[in-house]
Amino acid sequence: MIVFICEDDFLVEESRNVWAQMLGPNWVFERLHAKEFDELEIAKLMDEAQTPSLFSQNRVLMVGNAEKVSKRRGEELQGLENVPNSSLKVILVCSSGKAPEGWMKSFPAIAIDALKPADVTRWLVERYEISPEVARHIVDSAGTELYPLHNEMLKLEAYLGGARPPEIH
């Protein structure tokens, strides 16, 4: 059980590669909303955690809006935490920038601070190999959320067709 605090959905999606490296091979990721997660039977979750997969693929549940998971479910998760060699991992993804409260305090937490324009500019330069000047202009125009920026970069690449790098006139 890990609490992952991150406000940017793009970073949450991109984090799957990092989680896969940390957990090792053969983990399948599934994203659930807090309400869907609350509706799963705890006995079924416990059974899945205790039973090794026949197909050598273990499951990771990435629970979005985890701050909305019920207190009851939070208390039930304590039992899942104690299963040795569990074939089920749960990553509780919280979008709020504050530290975990209540039942979430008992789990390790990883927090990603909100991105600053300079961080996003550097990300654009490194990921899309554009000039810092162009990257700053894009961040000033489109903001610091990575999904919209990623979509804008895809549109820009399609428009330019790879014929030339983007530049400001």
Side-chain angles (χ1 to χ4, degrees):
M1 216 68 54
I2 297 172
V3 178
F4 182 46
I5 305 166
C6 183
E7 294 182 18
D8 195 293
D9 286 338
F10 191 84
L11 284 179
V12 171
E13 286 301 314
E14 292 277 303
S15 75
R16 287 182 185 209
N17 294 331
V18 176
W19 295 117
Q21 289 174 357
M22 290 172 56
L23 296 171
N26 302 321
W27 289 88
V28 175
F29 288 80
E30 182 180 340
R31 189 141 186 203
L32 297 173
H33 187 275
K35 185 175 180 181
E36 292 173 286
F37 184 64
D38 267 346
E39 292 171 356
L40 296 174
E41 294 178 34
I42 190 63
K44 192 173 184 178
L45 290 173
M46 187 63 80
D47 186 48
E48 187 170 340
Q50 294 172 335
T51 308
S53 172
L54 295 174
F55 305 106
S56 71
Q57 287 192 325
N58 300 312
R59 194 166 151 202
V60 177
L61 298 179
M62 293 186 76
V63 181
N65 294 355
E67 56 272 4
K68 295 180 181 176
V69 169
S70 70
K71 182 179 179 185
R72 174 193 52 82
R73 176 50 47 101
E75 291 167 353
E76 293 170 342
L77 290 176
Q78 299 291 339
L80 278 176
E81 180 74 4
N82 299 323
V83 175
N85 301 318
S86 176
S87 59
L88 175 68
K89 301 288 184 197
V90 178
I91 299 173
L92 301 164
V93 181
C94 299
S95 59
S96 65
K98 56 185 181 176
E101 297 177 359
W103 60 267
M104 280 194 211
K105 281 190 206 175
S106 62
F107 301 121
I110 297 171
I112 305 293
D113 294 330
L115 297 173
K116 296 175 180 66
D119 299 328
V120 176
T121 300
R122 189 172 35 259
W123 177 78
L124 285 170
V125 168
E126 292 171 4
R127 185 172 182 118
Y128 298 99
E129 299 176 352
I130 60 175
S131 73
E133 182 182 72
V134 171
R136 273 191 298 280
H137 178 72
I138 292 170
V139 170
D140 289 345
S141 300
T144 58
E145 277 191 57
L146 298 185
Y147 260 129
L149 284 171
H150 174 70
N151 290 335
E152 290 304 314
M153 290 306 300
L154 292 176
K155 288 186 228 174
L156 184 59
E157 288 173 347
Y159 176 74
L160 294 174
R164 66 180 203 272
E167 51 190 52
I168 297 175
H169 293 286

